[in-house]
Structure formats: structure tokens, C-alpha cells
């Protein structure tokens, strides 16, 4: 995670602006909060709204210039102190060192040979900054009264970080001083750099991220100034937008889930030292050992002395990496683009299609993905497209009869087509739909390649152009794959090739083409509203630097601190968070 920043060295307190009256600042904050209060942007006017919000933020930032807390020197100056602090408190510090790499920035370099699956890094709970430690800190009184903090663990962590940063006696100061001063997420892009993301699928998420961050800042600025439980917070005299942007970016690029001490639920945490590891393709090799009460990481592969030690962050697309982590990952095996599909209620066969989909555990309308790998569609999307393209007789065959249930469970299995005609229809439809998505971009892959050759292109601009190019390349691959499949099944139809048959009572499993595993289709289905809710709960999707799935380890994902174990108790809090971040 070292690449989260291109640090600009700042001098504490330099360039301070002329004193601004509290009333003047509160007026600006009120204007910003009002501007950000509309949860839904007018379609087609998202850029205009973004520019207006950004303009207000820049006014506030200008008046707050020089008021943010920064540390003297560079972050790497504090690395020795971090290593000493970790060692004194029971973390592993041997076998690697902190180093700056040409491409990724700071990371871990092995100082000895490390074998694959060897436990080489562990961090005890006492070193972690968690929502639980925030409750026991100076933030505790406000946390106990503010329902937003209670519902949104990531915001709680951000304020925990800000409060500890201002405390010269903070236990976590050796860690905090090594965090970047700035990040490369779109929150730090200038307006021209954001322009390069226009027409991409990521752009609306970028707008939403900025708007939500601005609204949260405005809301909590007022809370800090007026709430009686905030009087002892060290932020009362100086809480700048830059401070908040830094804190949420630190959390967004580093947060992870760990179990609470009793193991009954999960909480969010920042994990010192481990969060310096950079990403590569592979498998999740980090877990939480409840018996020893520590985060543990085993080697993803063999590492020779002098090599960089990588971990796998999870199956994120490059859009997610850019928005939430601030980097673009070349050769991302999990890259994908979104495609929204649904059965029209005006379709004459809507009721039958909806019933077949319901039996398969698939919604009639959802956001699916086209993957960069071959095949480009998952088992769930294949099943949806098959039902979407069925004629009346095919639908009846999946609803009534002795073999209807077997047919339902093989809908996502690429080895058992419904009919050659159905396969031709679905691949023809997918080819046309992906081609239409390609036409929404204002530039071609060739145009993007030329832009990337420009010597004066900024780092953020290059990242944006690489992302929009990758989206188009994924769509182009999907078009080609769909075309090839359409031709293959047309040939099968013309030559009278018999359909593959499955034996009665065959295991009702579907092929998960992307993951290479077999799972019941109903277990793979996603509830779109649940997905939207989880996206709303967080400032940004929780980093998938994941945790091994074992009896003592909790899998990482996009759930907030309010895990399903406590779902009944958290419905009200979740609704608050959803409203606040929508």
C-alpha cells in the first residue's frame, strides 16, 4: 500500500491565511451542506453539480490554508521509529525492511529468503487502531451520542486517526507519522485530471465519493462546533477539509475487518506495518488468529532476499483500485466492467421469465459484470441471459415437468445449453449490448495510447486514461468473445449437432466459469438492494486486503462493522448511514 501517495513535503503552519471569523466559516459550511444535501443528482448534470461543490470546497480550503496538522520531514524519516515501536509491542520485524520501490512507492523488501505459505508477519491487536479503541478514546463521548459515528465505522476510524494525530502522547503516533501526507485517490485529483474520467463507468462513483466526503465534512464541522460532547476534542479549534480528506483517504485505502476480542462480530481496523505491503495477483493470505489475538500474514509465494513482498488485496476491478486505493494495477486478472440488465415488465413473457429467475435466485434486474478474462461472463450472467432470451416453450420446460428443477440448476452451466437458438440469441444480444457501451466513450483505445505518450501528463491523468482504456479493452474482448460464440452455436445449429444431455439426477451444480469452481446457482445470487446498502454504508468500499476463511478467521468483504450477526439491532443505524451517504 505504499503507492497510495506522491508525498509533497509541507511545512507546519506555513502560508497561513488571514484569520477567518467563525461566523463566516459557518456560513460557508452551511452552504456546502445544503448543496450536498440532495441525495440524487439530476441526470446529465452530474458534472455541473460536481464543479459547484468543488468550488465551495476550494473556497473553504483557501480560507483554511496553513491550519492543517502536518509533521516535519518526510514519512520515511519515521520508519525506524515505526519498526522499533512494532518490535517493542510484539509484532514481527525481522526478515524484511521498509523500502521505496520505483513503481509502487514504499513497500516491504525481504532481507532473507521467505518460502511460500511461511508466516512472516504478525501484528498484535494492541497495535491496531479500531472502532473499539476509538470508543475508549477522547472520541468516546461523542461516539456515544452521534448515530452517524455509531452506524459508520469508517468515519469513526477517520476521527480516531485525526484525534490521535494531534496528541503528542498518542500510543499510535509512531504509526501515524509514517502515513502519507497526501493520496492518489480522485479526492486529490484536480478538475482537469477528473475530466479524463468523463464517459467512464467510474465517473459517477467519483462524483459520489467527492460529494459524500464534502457532506460528511460539513456535517461534522457543525457537530464539532456545537455538540456538547465534542468540547474536549482536539479538533475544535482546527478541523479543515484537508484534514478530513486525509483521514478518510487513510482509512479508505487501509481499513480492514477483524473480529472483536470475543469473536462475536467484526470491527474495522487499521493495521500498522502490514498495510505497507503492495498488491499483486494471487490469493488472500492474511488472517486473524483469535487464539493469539493477532493479525497474521503468510507469504503469497517464494520471495528471494532483496525482492519486494506482495500480498493480494482481493478481487477488485481497476475502477475500484483507482477510486478507493489510488492506483491502477496492470494485468489485473479480476478487472471487469459493469453491465446493467433487466427484463422489461412490458415483455409479454415477463411473468414466466421472472418466475424462472426467482427459482434460480436471480433478480429480474441487476448490475452484472463483463470480465477481462475468458469467458467474459459469470455463471449467474449466463443463466440470466438464457432466461432473458427464452421463448415460451423453453420457459414452460423450466417451470413444469419432471426435469424442471434439473433445468433450473443447470441454467448457468456452459456445458448444457437450453437450445442452439437460445445460445445464438443470448450471444447476439451480448455482442450488441457491449458494442453499444463502447460507443458511449469519446475516445478510442488508440486515442488513449497517444495521450499516454504525452511527456507532460500528470500521474493522476495517466491513471485516469489507463482506466478508461482498460474499460474499452474489456468491452472489446467481450464483443469478440460474444461474436465467436455466436458463430460457434450458429454452426452447431446449421450442422444439426445434438445438444449435450445430462443424466437424470445429475448433481445440480452450475459452472462458475470465472472462479473455476462449482457452486449451486442460488448460492451465487446477489441481492441488489443489499449490495447498494453496503455501498452506502461506507465512505468507500472496504479494502479487500482480506482474511482467510477458517474457523478462527473471518472472511473480509464489504460489510460494515454492523455485521449480520447484529442485523436486527442495526436496522435503524443502517438506515441512517444509507441516508447520510446516498
Amino acid at each position: 500500500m505504499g503507492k497510495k501517495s506522491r508525498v509533497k513535503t509541507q511545512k507546519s503552519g506555513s502560508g497561513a491565511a488571514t484569520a477567518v471569523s467563525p461566523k463566516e466559516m459557518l456560513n460557508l459550511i452551511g452552504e456546502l451542506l445544503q448543496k450536498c444535501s440532495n441525495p440524487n443528482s439530476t441526470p446529465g448534470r452530474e458534472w455541473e453539480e460536481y464543479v459547484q461543490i468543488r468550488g465551495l470546497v476550494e473556497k473553504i480550503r483557501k480560507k483554511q490554508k496553513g491550519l492543517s496538522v502536518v509533521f516535519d520531514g518526510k514519512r520515511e524519516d519515521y520508519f525506524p521509529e515505526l519498526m522499533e515501536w512494532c518490535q517493542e509491542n510484539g509484532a514481527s520485524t525481522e526478515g524484511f525492511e521498509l523500502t521505496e520501490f520505483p513503481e509502487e512507492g514504499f513497500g516491504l523488501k525481504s532481507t532473507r529468503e521467505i518460502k511460500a505459505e511461511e508466516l512472516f508477519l504478525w501484528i498484535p491487536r494492541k497495535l491496531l487502531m479500531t472502532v473499539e479503541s476509538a470508543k475508549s478514546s477522547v472520541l468516546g463521548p461523542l461516539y456515544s451520542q452521534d448515530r452517524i459515528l455509531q452506524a459508520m465505522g469508517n468515519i469513526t476510524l477517520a476521527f480516531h486517526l485525526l484525534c490521535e494525530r494531534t496528541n503528542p502522547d498518542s500510543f499510535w503516533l509512531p504509526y501515524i507519522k509514517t502515513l502519507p501526507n497526501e493520496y492518489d485517490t480522485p479526492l486529490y485529483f484536480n478538475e482537469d485530471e477528473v475530466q479524463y474520467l468523463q464517459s467512464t463507468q467510474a465517473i459517477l462513483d467519483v462524483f459520489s465519493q467527492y460529494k459524500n466526503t464534502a457532506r460528511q465534512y460539513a456535517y461534522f464541522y457543525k457537530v464539532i462546533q456545537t455538540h456538547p460532547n465534542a468540547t474536549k476534542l482536539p479538533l475544535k479549534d482546527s478541523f479543515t477539509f484537508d484534514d478530513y480528506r486525509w483521514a478518510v483517504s487513510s482509512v479508505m485505502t487501509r481499513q480492514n475487518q477483524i473480529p472483536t476480542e470475543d469473536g462475536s462480530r467484526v470491527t474495522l481496523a487499521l493495521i500498522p506495518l502490514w498495510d505497507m505491503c503492495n498488491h499483486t495477483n494471487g490469493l488472500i493470505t492474511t488472517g486473524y488468529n483469535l487464539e493469539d489475538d493477532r493479525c497474521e500474514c503468510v507469504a503469497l509465494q517464494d520471495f528471494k532476499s532483496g525482492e519486494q513482498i506482495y500480498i493480494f488485496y482481493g478481487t477488485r476491478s481497476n475502477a475500484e483500485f483507482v477510486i478507493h486505493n489510488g492506483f491502477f494495477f496492470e494485468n489485473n486478472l479480476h478487472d471487469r466492467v459493469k453491465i446493467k440488465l433487466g427484463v422489461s415488465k412490458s415483455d409479454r413473457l415477463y411473468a414466466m421469465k421472472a418466475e424462472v429467475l426467482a427459482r434460480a435466485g436471480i433478480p429480474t434486474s441487476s448490475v452484472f459484470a463483463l470480465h477481462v478474462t475468458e469467458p467474459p461472463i459469470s455463471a449467474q450472467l449466463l443463466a440470466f441471459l438464457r432466461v432473458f432470451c427464452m421463448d415460451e416453450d423453453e420457459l414452460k420446460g423450466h417451470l413444469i415437468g419432471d426435469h424442471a428443477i434439473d433445468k433450473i440448476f443447470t441454467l448457468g452451466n456452459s456445458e448444457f445449453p437450453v437450445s442452439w437458438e437460445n445460445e445464438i440469441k443470448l450471444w447476439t444480444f451480448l455482442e450488441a449490448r457491449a458494442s453499444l457501451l463502447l460507443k458511449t466513450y469519446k475516445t478510442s483505445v488508440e486515442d488513449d495510447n497517444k495521450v499516454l505518450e504525452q511527456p507532460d501528463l500528470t500521474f493522476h491523468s495517466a491513471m485516469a486514461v489507463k482506466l478508461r482504456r482498460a474499460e474499452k479493452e474489456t468491452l472489446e474482448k467481450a464483443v469478440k468473445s460474444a461474436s465467436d460464440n455466436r458463430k460457434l452455436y450458429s454452426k452447431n445449429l446449421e450442422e444439426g449437432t445434438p445438444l449435450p444431455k445430462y443424466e437424470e439426477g445429475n448433481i445440480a451444480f452450475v459452472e462458475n466459469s470465472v472462479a473455476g469452481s462449482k457452486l449451486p446457482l442460488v448460492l451465487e445470487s446477489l441481492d441488489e438492494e443489499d449490495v447498494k446498502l453496503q455501498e452506502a454504508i461506507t465512505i468507500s468500499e472496504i479494502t479487500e486486503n482480506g482474511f482467510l476463511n477458517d474457523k478462527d478467521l473471518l472472511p473480509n468483504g464489504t460489510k460494515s462493522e454492523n455485521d449480520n450477526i447484529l442485523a436486527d439491532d442495526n436496522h435503524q443505524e443502517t438506515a441512517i448511514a444509507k441516508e447520510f451517504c446516498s
Side-chain angles (χ1 to χ4, degrees), residues 145-419:
Q145 295 295 315
D146 189 272
R147 292 192 294 172
I148 300 299
L149 291 177
Q150 294 169 7
M152 302 178 70
N154 48 1
I155 293 183
T156 299
L157 263 187
F159 277 101
H160 188 23
L161 194 58
L162 283 172
C163 291
E164 296 301 320
R165 185 177 67 161
T166 63
N167 178 9
D169 298 319
S170 171
F171 171 72
W172 292 283
L173 206 58
Y175 166 61
I176 297 172
K177 287 191 289 189
T178 64
L179 293 175
N181 285 342
E182 292 184 352
Y183 290 83
D184 288 320
T185 63
L187 288 176
Y188 285 84
F189 283 23
N190 63 41
E191 197 171 306
D192 290 338
E193 291 166 340
V194 176
Q195 280 278 17
Y196 283 107
L197 289 170
Q198 289 279 43
S199 301
T200 67
Q201 292 193 352
I203 190 63
L204 292 182
D205 290 332
V206 170
F207 291 158
S208 177
Q209 181 188 60
Y210 195 91
K211 180 179 180 179
N212 288 341
T213 303
R215 177 166 57 210
Q216 292 157 12
Y217 171 71
Y219 167 82
F220 280 105
Y221 185 95
K222 286 195 169 186
V223 167
I224 289 171
Q225 295 300 319
T226 60
H227 200 291
N229 283 38
T231 54
K232 294 184 179 180
L233 289 184
L235 309 175
K236 192 169 181 66
D237 294 333
S238 178
F239 174 50
T240 69
F241 178 84
D242 284 359
D243 288 334
Y244 188 68
R245 178 176 62 171
W246 172 82
V248 297
S249 296
S250 296
V251 172
M252 156 166 67
T253 58
R254 282 166 159 74
Q255 66 185 345
N256 221 302
Q257 289 183 329
I258 66 165
T260 52
E261 289 191 64
D262 61 5
S264 64
R265 57 192 177 89
V266 293
T267 187
L268 293 183
L270 297 178
I271 308 173
L273 196 57
W274 174 83
D275 66 8
M276 291 296 296
C277 293
N278 287 309
H279 167 80
T280 193
N281 289 315
L283 298 172
I284 290 172
T285 57
T286 303
Y288 200 89
N289 185 327
L290 275 174
E291 183 177 350
D292 293 329
D293 203 19
R294 66 187 191 182
C295 176
E296 295 182 344
C297 184
V298 300
L300 178 64
Q301 61 194 49
D302 289 342
F303 294 107
K304 297 178 181 178
S305 180
E307 289 185 335
Q308 182 173 181
I309 301 172
Y310 292 98
I311 62 173
F312 177 60
Y313 287 11
T315 57
R316 286 196 152 197
S317 68
N318 267 320
E320 291 167 328
F321 277 137
V322 168
I323 294 170
H324 307 307
N325 294 83
F327 68 85
F328 178 90
F329 184 65
E330 303 285 354
N331 191 32
N332 184 359
L333 299 181
H334 303 283
D335 207 7
R336 55 195 178 271
V337 296
K338 293 180 286 189
I339 179 170
K340 187 172 184 178
L341 300 172
V343 181
S344 172
K345 290 187 177 180
S346 63
D347 187 329
R348 180 178 64 86
L349 302 174
Y350 175 81
M352 296 178 72
K353 291 180 180 180
E355 179 60 29
V356 174
L357 289 171
R359 294 185 184 186
I362 303 174
T364 56
S365 178
S366 186
V367 178
F368 299 95
L370 296 177
H371 296 261
V372 69
T373 50
E374 185 64 33
I377 63 174
S378 65
Q380 190 189 43
L381 178 51
L382 175 60
F384 175 87
L385 289 171
R386 281 177 169 171
V387 177
F388 183 82
C389 294
M390 282 182 188
D391 60 28
E392 189 168 357
D393 289 337
E394 290 168 341
L395 288 166
K396 287 179 180 178
H398 285 75
L399 292 172
I400 56 177
D402 295 337
H403 302 297
I405 187 64
D406 288 331
K407 291 182 179 180
I408 291 291
F409 275 99
T410 56
L411 274 173
N413 193 320
S414 59
E415 297 176 8
F416 302 114
V418 173
S419 67

Side-chain angles (χ1 to χ4, degrees), residues 490-532:
S490 295
K491 182 180 179 182
N492 288 348
L493 179 63
E494 292 171 4
E495 295 178 353
T497 304
L499 282 170
K501 294 183 179 180
Y502 57 89
E503 297 179 5
E504 184 176 356
N506 188 25
I507 298 175
F509 282 92
V510 296
E511 179 185 2
N512 185 331
S513 304
V514 176
S517 62
K518 294 189 175 182
L519 296 170
L521 183 59
V522 290
L523 297 184
E524 294 184 318
S525 64
L526 296 174
D527 186 298
E528 187 180 9
E529 289 305 312
D530 285 346
V531 172
K532 286 181 179 178

Side-chain angles (χ1 to χ4, degrees), residues 472-498:
K472 284 173 282 198
E473 288 174 339
T474 300
L475 287 170
E476 287 177 350
K477 288 179 181 179
V479 169
K480 184 181 184 305
S481 180
S483 175
D484 291 344
N485 278 289
R486 172 179 53 78
K487 293 173 183 177
L488 171 64
Y489 293 117
S490 295
K491 182 180 179 182
N492 288 348
L493 179 63
E494 292 171 4
E495 295 178 353
T497 304

Side-chain angles (χ1 to χ4, degrees), residues 16-194:
T18 304
V20 182
S21 70
K23 183 178 180 181
E24 182 182 358
M25 184 56 67
L26 279 172
N27 286 339
L28 280 172
I29 294 296
E31 187 179 352
L32 177 62
L33 186 59
Q34 183 178 10
K35 186 64 184 176
C36 297
S37 293
N38 180 15
N40 300 312
S41 302
T42 305
R45 301 188 65 179
E46 293 90 354
W47 173 258
E48 180 182 341
E49 181 188 58
Y50 169 75
V51 171
Q52 290 173 354
I53 293 173
R54 189 183 182 99
L56 281 171
V57 167
E58 290 304 314
K59 281 185 182 179
I60 292 170
R61 290 185 66 229
K62 185 177 180 180
K63 293 183 179 298
Q64 294 174 338
K65 185 178 179 182
L67 299 178
S68 296
V69 175
V70 293
F71 297 108
D72 293 329
K74 301 177 181 178
R75 60 185 294 215
E76 56 265 37
D77 296 340
Y78 300 99
F79 286 170
E81 185 181 349
L82 171 67
M83 296 292 281
E84 181 180 355
W85 175 71
C86 287
Q87 184 179 31
E88 289 175 352
N89 287 281
S92 58
T93 57
E94 296 183 359
F96 56 84
E97 62 185 11
L98 296 172
T99 305
E100 185 170 13
F101 295 91
E103 294 298 324
E104 295 93 343
F106 292 104
L108 295 190
K109 183 177 76 173
S110 60
T111 56
R112 61 172 176 83
E113 185 176 313
I114 299 176
K115 293 294 185 181
E117 300 185 9
E118 175 185 344
L119 175 61
F120 74 97
L121 179 60
W122 56 89
I123 312 291
R125 182 184 295 272
K126 66 180 295 187
L127 289 175
L128 312 185
M129 296 187 74
T130 68
V131 172
E132 309 308 307
S133 64
K135 295 178 188 178
S136 303
S137 72
V138 67
L139 190 63
L142 181 60
Y143 179 93
S144 67
Q145 295 295 315
D146 189 272
R147 292 192 294 172
I148 300 299
L149 291 177
Q150 294 169 7
M152 302 178 70
N154 48 1
I155 293 183
T156 299
L157 263 187
F159 277 101
H160 188 23
L161 194 58
L162 283 172
C163 291
E164 296 301 320
R165 185 177 67 161
T166 63
N167 178 9
D169 298 319
S170 171
F171 171 72
W172 292 283
L173 206 58
Y175 166 61
I176 297 172
K177 287 191 289 189
T178 64
L179 293 175
N181 285 342
E182 292 184 352
Y183 290 83
D184 288 320
T185 63
L187 288 176
Y188 285 84
F189 283 23
N190 63 41
E191 197 171 306
D192 290 338
E193 291 166 340
V194 176

